[in-house]
Amino acid sequence: MKQPQDTKFNLSRIAIENPAITIYLLVVLMLAGVASFFQLGQDEDPPFTFRAMVVPSILAVPLPYKCQSKLPTNSRPSYKKLLM
């Protein structure tokens, strides 16, 4: 028994039956896309502004020499003293 042939346009069937044409069209479209990408314009300075604010603040931290003076001076520090 023969199956009735589809009378509708079936792009998938045409692509599967003609792989050389399909590959050729894909390569041409990819090359056209790459060429179009490199021809896109690019503004050096965009037309919009970035709103930003710099808020200076001072963090109260001890100076390094003050921290160093609180450490024990012997070669093997006693960690129990540091924790108290």
Side-chain angles (χ1 to χ4, degrees):
M1 250 180 147
K2 266 187 164 181
Q3 293 181 348
Q5 189 156 0
D6 237 22
T7 57
K8 292 189 228 176
F9 179 71
N10 190 349
L11 185 61
S12 299
R13 182 175 48 89
I14 294 170
I16 291 172
E17 290 174 357
N18 302 307
I21 294 172
T22 305
I23 292 172
Y24 174 75
L25 286 175
L26 285 174
V27 169
V28 167
L29 288 173
M30 284 174 47
L31 290 175
V34 169
S36 297
F37 177 75
F38 285 112
Q39 290 181 358
L40 284 174
Q42 182 179 2
D43 286 342
E44 189 171 320
D45 297 321
F48 52 89
T49 59
F50 290 102
R51 293 191 174 114
M53 180 185 290
V54 178
V55 179
S57 64
I58 298 172
L59 181 62
V61 293
L63 297 173
Y65 69 88
K66 288 184 180 179
C67 292
Q68 189 176 9
S69 66
K70 295 189 188 272
L71 293 175
T73 56
N74 59 357
S75 61
R76 302 193 74 176
S78 171
Y79 294 107
K80 291 180 183 178
K81 289 180 183 177
L82 289 175
L83 293 175
M84 291 183 181

